[in-house]
């Protein structure tokens, strides 16, 4: 029977190995921090808007290349463009130049008669015939210059002003075939590139980052006073991938080396090292395959978190070899049968603790929960199925193992005496002081830690270009596209007042490029009446026969705009059909003052179908809500575990329960004294501690006085806090907080648990 299970497990592991080859050849690693965030169940359309904004911006790379004067800026732009072209990076230039403007003018020309600015609309409505005629004659006889249309196609000169209003959305202006701007003592050329592959398929190679670095070096070398500022999602993705790769290597390799060193010191044999190493390798491969099969993508932070799996999954191998030490090889099968109930119970409690992470509606946490649970199960089955067959030969008791095993007898034990009371009282007082200082902080920034240079470039580029914020925007919805555009137009009227006050640099709205059909028809009638009037008057004055130019018959529709190359300008903001509603996003330019946010929020008051979205504030509020929910579940979990322990150990149950409960409180107190905030990931660490910490007490109560049990518990505890301690080195604040909680908690619980072991005459009453 044992051989059949081993063969069956080998076949499954072989299938996992084949899947691993396929997985690593594909590009299914995710570095998008938004993928970690939960959907706001009260507003799923906000999540859709955020994803659309992120998807459309995901491949964009924007560069500002500057010099002390315009010729220097042009040279710098040529050098940068040549360096990027020669780099071989997966980038292609975007059509963000004068040719793109010509294409846009040609697209909109048939609809020129129905595209008016608010000022033009108001002027045409009130202007007299003589005023209109004078304006038309002035446009006719003004000195020749660049014109967008023939005079009879736009006798009042309305068309250039409409384009000027559209151009105001960006500070960059066409100049000698380039997009130019001036700011902060330099002349700048705007360059735009688009990735030829998904940003999240770039990986850790850093091709785009390296290309930008070479371009920056080339500019600095070739142009005195030259400067290159770059920003874009591909740069953040590559930085995150490189950071995650380093952390995976450091934490995973560090954990593995620590475990293998412990195994060598304990058993002084290659066999345990090889077999425990195999169980960890199989567990990790199964964890990755199961996660990849259940989720569309595997997040890099899941792999970083999974690197700590080494510190937990080796427990089963430790328990087997700790019990195997000093026994003949012929007893290995009966030994496994005797260990199986306890190991299965330990697996169950650990898996339940990890799966508790999945209770929070964070996709990233659910991935981590599945990854860890599957990895533990894989390591457990490897030990159970393969170890009794592959473990031949004797395994003598080493001096190190003997010292650790016998250390339990010298470990202090809490009792009812004065010394125990003073120690526990002092510990509680210090803990209470730390809890008094502990403060909660629910901040979106705890999920990421972008390199400072990238953030500085992003801020400088945003300051120069007055780029819109992707975190604060208005979401407009309607029963159909027309209603959505009408509601957006109503919102713009309120925002114009803020723009006029200087509280806001401007905004980008779909309805600027695609007015509501009702507005188009009204403007079409307004311009037709005025232009026919002035054409007739000018014909009379000049004696020439003048005909008004022909325009498109119907109104410009969303489908026409979005299917054209020109529609790319608004495709990011037009969400289209989401559920039974049509949605669009109105973005805000130059939003640098947080004190303006409440005024912007009030701008949506009373406007049906208009919602103010502050994603940073919403996610932070969501983190706080789930921190409180998980805290309640943690308290309930402790109560439930105490009941289960009481059913098994009766009056001795507190000896297994109190160390974990006290360890959790001490951990919070230590964090308070360290000035570390209480956040969701701190609470999640406490949840995992509950599942792991109680195990130590269970084993000591199940096998009181058994030296091999204490040896396994000691090794498991040391390896666990070593692996999670390394997680505290993560540059990601959330993972660091989780790792720090586990490190402090694991050490505390591991040290406290034997202090609560029963006296020999108190065993199992």
């Amino acid at each position: 029977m044992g051989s059949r299970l081993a063969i069956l497990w080998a076949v499954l592991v072989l299938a996992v190995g084949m899947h691993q080859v396929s997985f690593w050849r594909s590009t299914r690693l995710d570095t998008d921090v938004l993928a970690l965030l939960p959907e706001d169940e009260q507003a799923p359309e906000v999540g859709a808007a955020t994803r659309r904004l992120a998807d459309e911006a995901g491949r964009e790379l924007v560069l500002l290349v500057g010099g002390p004067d315009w010729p220097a800026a042009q040279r710098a732009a040529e050098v940068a463009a040549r360096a990027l072209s020669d780099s071989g990076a997966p980038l292609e230039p975007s059509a963000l130049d004068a040719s793109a403007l010509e294409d846009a003018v040609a697209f909109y020309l048939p609809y020129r008669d129905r595209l008016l600015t608010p000022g033009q609309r108001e002027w045409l409505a009130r202007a007299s015939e003589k005023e209109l005629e004078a304006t038309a004659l002035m446009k006719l006889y003004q000195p020749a210059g660049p014109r967008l249309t023939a005079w009879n196609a736009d006798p009042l000169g309305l068309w250039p002003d409409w384009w000027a209003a559209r151009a105001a959305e960006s500070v960059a202006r066409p100049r000698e075939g380039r997009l130019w701007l001036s700011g902060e003592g330099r002349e700048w050329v705007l360059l735009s590139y688009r990735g030829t592959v998904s940003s999240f398929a770039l990986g850790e190679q850093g091709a785009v980052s390296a290309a930008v670095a070479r371009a920056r070096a080339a500019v600095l070398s070739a142009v005195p006073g030259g400067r290159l500022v770059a920003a874009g999602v591909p740069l953040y993705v590559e930085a995150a991938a490189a950071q995650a790769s380093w952390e995976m290597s450091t934490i995973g390799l560090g954990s593995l080396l620590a475990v293998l060193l412990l195994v060598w010191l304990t058993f002084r044999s290659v066999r345990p090292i090889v077999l425990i190493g195999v169980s960890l390798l199989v567990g990790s491969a199964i964890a990755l395959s199961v996660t990849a099969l259940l989720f569309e993508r595997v997040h890099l932070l899941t792999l970083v978190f999974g690197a700590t799996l080494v510190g937990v999954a080796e427990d089963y191998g430790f328990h087997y070899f700790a019990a195997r030490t000093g026994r003949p090889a012929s007893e290995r099968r009966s030994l496994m049968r005797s260990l199986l109930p306890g190991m299965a119970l330990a697996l169950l409690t650990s898996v339940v603790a990890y799966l508790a992470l999945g209770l929070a509606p964070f996709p990233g946490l659910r991935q981590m929960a599945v990854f860890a649970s599957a990895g533990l199960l894989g390591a457990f089955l490897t030990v159970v199925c393969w170890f009794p067959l592959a473990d031949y030969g004797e395994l003598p008791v080493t001096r190190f193992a003997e010292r650790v095993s016998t250390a339990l007898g010298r470990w202090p034990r809490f009792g009812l005496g004065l010394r125990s009371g003073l120690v526990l009282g002092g510990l509680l007082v210090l803990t209470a002081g730390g809890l008094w200082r502990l403060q909660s902080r629910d901040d979106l920034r705890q999920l990421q830690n972008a390199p400072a240079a990238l953030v500085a470039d992003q801020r400088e580029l945003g300051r120069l270009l007055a780029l819109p914020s992707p975190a604060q925007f208005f979401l407009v919805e309607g029963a159909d596209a027309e209603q959505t555009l009408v509601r957006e137009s109503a919102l713009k009227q309120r925002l114009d007042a803020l723009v006029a006050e200087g509280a806001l640099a401007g905004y980008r709205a779909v309805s600027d490029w695609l007015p509501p059909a009702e507005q188009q028809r009204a403007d079409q009638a307004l311009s037709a009446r005025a232009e026919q009037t002035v054409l007739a008057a000018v014909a009379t004055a000049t004696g020439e026969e003048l005909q008004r130019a022909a325009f498109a018959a119907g109104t410009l529709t969303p489908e026409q705009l979005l299917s054209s190359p020109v529609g790319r300008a608004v495709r990011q903001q037009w969400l289209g059909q989401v559920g039974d509603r049509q949605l669009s996003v109105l973005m805000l330019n130059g939003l640098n003052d947080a004190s303006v946010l409440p005024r912007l929020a009030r701008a949506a008051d009373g406007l049906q179908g208009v919602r103010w979205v502050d994603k940073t504030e919403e996610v932070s509020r969501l983190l706080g809500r789930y921190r409180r929910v998980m805290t309640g579940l943690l308290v309930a979990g402790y109560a439930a575990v105490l009941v289960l322990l009481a059913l098994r150990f009766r009056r001795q149950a507190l000896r297994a329960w109190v160390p974990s409960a006290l360890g959790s409180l001490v951990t919070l107190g230590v964090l308070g004294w360290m000035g570390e905030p209480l956040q969701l990931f701190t609470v999640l660490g406490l949840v995992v501690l509950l599942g792991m910490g109680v195990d130590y007490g269970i084993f000591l109560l199940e096998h009181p006085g058994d030296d091999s049990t204490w040896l396994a518990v000691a090794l498991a505890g040391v390896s666990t806090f070593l692996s999670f301690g390394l997680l505290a080195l993560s540059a990601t604040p959330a993972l660091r907080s989780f790792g720090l909680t586990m490190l402090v908690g694991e050490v505390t619980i591991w040290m406290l648990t034997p202090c609560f072991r029963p006296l020999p005459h108190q065993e199992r009453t």
Side-chain angles (χ1 to χ4, degrees):
M1 184 64 181
S3 300
R4 291 180 182 175
L5 287 176
I7 294 172
L8 184 61
W9 183 241
V11 172
L12 185 58
V13 170
L14 182 62
V16 169
M18 296 173 64
H19 177 264
Q20 287 291 299
V21 174
S22 169
F23 175 83
W24 288 108
R25 285 180 175 175
S26 63
T27 54
R28 297 172 60 190
L29 289 179
D30 197 350
T31 60
D32 181 11
V33 69
L34 294 178
L36 296 170
L37 301 180
E39 292 279 359
D40 189 339
E41 61 273 21
Q42 297 172 357
E45 65 277 8
V46 175
T50 306
R51 284 194 299 275
R52 174 66 66 87
L53 295 176
D55 291 344
E56 289 295 328
R59 297 191 183 196
E60 300 293 337
L61 177 68
V62 179
L63 300 96
L64 277 179
V65 189
D69 51 37
W70 176 237
Q74 287 182 300
R75 282 201 311 279
E78 292 172 2
V79 170
R82 188 165 53 249
L84 289 172
S85 176
D86 295 342
S87 67
L91 296 170
E92 61 183 11
S94 298
L96 194 62
D97 51 24
S99 64
L101 177 60
E102 294 174 359
D103 293 340
V105 171
F107 173 81
Y108 277 105
L109 187 57
Y111 308 97
R112 197 283 303 162
D113 62 330
R114 66 213 68 176
L115 298 175
L116 300 176
T117 67
Q120 291 173 334
R121 198 172 294 127
E122 188 272 335
W123 177 67
L124 290 177
R126 64 170 173 75
S128 64
E129 292 186 8
K130 288 191 174 182
E131 186 178 354
L132 293 173
E133 180 182 345
T135 301
L137 288 172
M138 182 187 68
K139 297 292 181 182
L140 176 63
Y141 293 117
Q142 72 179 8
R147 299 179 61 94
L148 296 176
T149 64
W151 177 84
N152 67 328
D154 183 24
L156 294 172
L158 303 174
W159 190 228
D161 290 344
W162 186 83
W163 278 106
R166 303 288 72 76
E169 295 180 1
S170 171
V171 297
R173 295 287 180 271
R175 182 174 180 181
E176 300 180 26
R178 298 183 182 276
L179 289 178
W180 155 83
L181 64 115
S182 180
E184 301 189 353
R186 281 187 173 85
E187 304 300 311
W188 301 90
V189 174
L190 175 62
L191 300 178
S192 178
Y193 289 81
R194 185 172 176 80
T196 55
V197 299
S198 168
S199 294
F200 303 113
L202 291 173
E204 63 185 270
Q205 292 78 13
V208 175
S209 301
V212 171
R214 281 195 292 272
R216 180 179 283 117
V219 168
L220 295 176
S221 173
V223 181
R227 180 167 169 73
L228 185 149
V229 182
V233 174
L235 297 175
Y236 284 92
V237 169
E238 289 187 344
Q243 176 182 303
S245 176
W246 183 88
E247 291 183 357
M248 276 191 297
S249 303
T250 304
I251 296 173
L253 184 61
S255 301
L256 185 60
L257 290 177
V259 169
L260 295 182
L261 178 61
L262 277 176
V263 175
W264 173 254
L265 289 174
T266 306
F267 304 110
R268 295 301 176 100
S269 171
V270 176
R271 191 170 0 111
I273 293 178
V274 172
L275 289 179
I276 290 177
V278 168
S279 71
L280 297 179
L281 181 64
V282 171
S284 299
I286 289 176
L288 184 57
S289 290
V290 171
T291 307
L293 291 173
L294 292 181
F295 297 88
E296 184 179 355
R297 288 178 173 274
V298 179
H299 202 283
L300 275 175
L301 287 183
T302 300
L303 299 186
V304 174
F305 178 84
T308 63
L309 192 64
V310 173
V312 183
E314 92 294 334
D315 287 4
Y316 315 115
F318 277 162
H319 277 286
Y320 172 81
F321 280 109
R324 170 78 166 79
T325 302
R327 296 191 181 187
S330 58
E331 295 183 7
R332 60 188 188 279
R333 291 179 184 275
S334 59
L335 176 65
M336 178 57 75
R337 285 194 294 273
S338 68
L339 293 174
L340 197 55
M343 289 169 56
L345 181 60
L347 170 70
L348 180 62
T349 55
S350 297
V351 167
V352 168
Y354 272 117
L355 290 180
L357 296 178
L359 293 176
F362 284 72
L365 287 178
R366 288 175 176 168
Q367 273 201 16
M368 294 175 190
V370 169
F371 189 98
S373 301
L376 288 180
L377 182 60
F380 170 82
L381 291 176
T382 302
V383 171
V384 172
C385 296
W386 288 356
F387 276 29
L389 293 177
D391 176 28
Y392 289 98
E394 300 301 320
L395 196 64
V397 179
T398 65
R399 182 175 298 179
F400 179 83
E402 187 175 9
R403 287 181 177 177
V404 175
S405 301
T406 57
L408 183 61
R410 299 187 296 275
W411 206 275
R413 192 193 316 256
F414 288 141
L416 300 177
L418 178 61
R419 181 179 299 177
S420 297
L422 289 175
V423 171
L424 286 174
L427 186 63
L428 290 175
V429 168
L430 289 175
T431 300
L435 292 174
W436 180 260
R437 296 167 57 92
L438 188 65
Q439 294 184 341
S440 62
R441 184 187 305 161
D442 306 299
D443 194 333
L444 173 63
R445 286 169 293 187
Q446 65 187 269
L447 295 177
Q448 60 180 343
N449 184 32
L454 278 182
V455 175
D457 267 16
Q458 178 78 45
R459 287 176 176 169
E460 183 174 359
L461 197 139
R463 191 170 57 248
L464 287 166
L465 288 174
L467 292 176
S469 167
Q472 290 88 20
F473 53 84
F474 287 96
L475 188 64
V476 185
E477 66 173 34
D480 51 35
E482 178 66 11
Q483 188 178 56
T484 302
L485 293 171
V486 169
R487 288 175 172 177
E488 189 179 274
S489 298
L491 172 63
K492 288 192 303 183
Q493 292 180 7
R494 294 192 178 183
L495 295 180
D496 285 339
L498 293 174
V499 174
E501 293 177 18
L504 191 66
Y507 53 79
R508 297 182 183 184
V510 175
S511 55
D512 284 339
W513 298 90
L514 178 67
E518 179 184 1
Q519 186 68 64
Q520 289 187 50
R521 285 190 286 270
D523 288 349
Q524 182 182 28
L526 191 61
S527 65
R529 184 171 62 251
E531 291 174 2
Q532 287 169 352
T533 298
V534 299
L535 285 173
V538 172
T540 302
T542 61
E544 299 181 11
E545 184 177 348
L546 299 174
Q547 294 290 330
R548 186 170 183 250
F551 297 100
T555 57
L556 178 62
T557 65
E559 293 76 19
Q560 290 171 314
L561 176 61
L562 295 172
S563 62
S564 72
V566 180
R568 183 178 164 189
V570 299
R571 206 167 291 147
Q572 178 185 15
Q573 296 172 244
W574 184 254
L575 305 185
Q577 190 81 27
V578 177
D580 60 348
R581 316 294 288 175
Q582 293 278 341
L583 273 67
S584 74
V585 172
L586 187 147
M587 303 183 72
L588 306 168
N589 292 341
L591 188 57
N592 301 316
D593 185 1
S595 65
V596 181
L597 297 181
R599 298 183 63 189
L600 288 168
R602 288 195 296 271
D605 290 347
L607 290 180
Q608 190 174 6
V610 177
R611 176 191 172 115
W612 165 248
V613 177
D614 185 343
K615 193 64 182 175
T616 303
E617 194 274 338
E618 285 191 9
V619 172
S620 298
R621 190 171 61 243
L622 208 59
L623 288 172
R625 177 148 55 96
Y626 285 108
R627 174 178 56 79
R628 293 187 288 273
V629 170
M630 292 304 295
T631 300
L633 289 174
L634 177 64
V635 174
Y638 265 103
V641 166
L642 181 58
V643 171
L644 291 175
L645 291 175
L647 293 175
R648 174 66 176 164
F649 301 110
R650 299 183 183 279
R651 295 173 56 186
Q652 301 293 335
L654 286 175
R655 296 186 181 278
W657 185 84
V658 168
S660 291
L662 186 56
S664 295
L665 291 174
V666 169
T667 301
L668 293 175
V670 170
L671 295 179
W673 284 113
M674 292 175 64
E676 292 287 332
L678 174 65
Q679 52 179 275
L680 174 63
F681 293 89
T682 308
V683 179
L684 295 177
L686 296 178
V687 172
V688 177
L689 274 178
L690 169 61
M692 294 182 180
V694 170
D695 283 354
Y696 302 149
I698 291 175
F699 282 125
L700 292 181
L701 288 177
E702 284 281 355
H703 308 282
D706 187 342
D707 290 345
S708 67
T709 299
W710 170 243
L711 174 63
V713 168
L715 294 178
V718 172
S719 60
T720 300
F721 70 66
L722 277 177
S723 60
F724 281 104
L726 289 176
L727 192 61
L729 299 177
S730 172
T732 303
L735 288 181
R736 186 171 61 248
S737 174
F738 185 89
L740 191 59
T741 301
M742 291 296 299
L743 175 64
V744 176
E746 181 72 15
V747 171
T748 306
I749 293 172
W750 182 77
M751 294 182 68
L752 286 176
T753 298
C755 296
F756 285 88
R757 69 190 187 281
L759 294 168
H761 68 277
Q762 295 175 323
E763 295 170 2
R764 192 71 67 84
T765 59

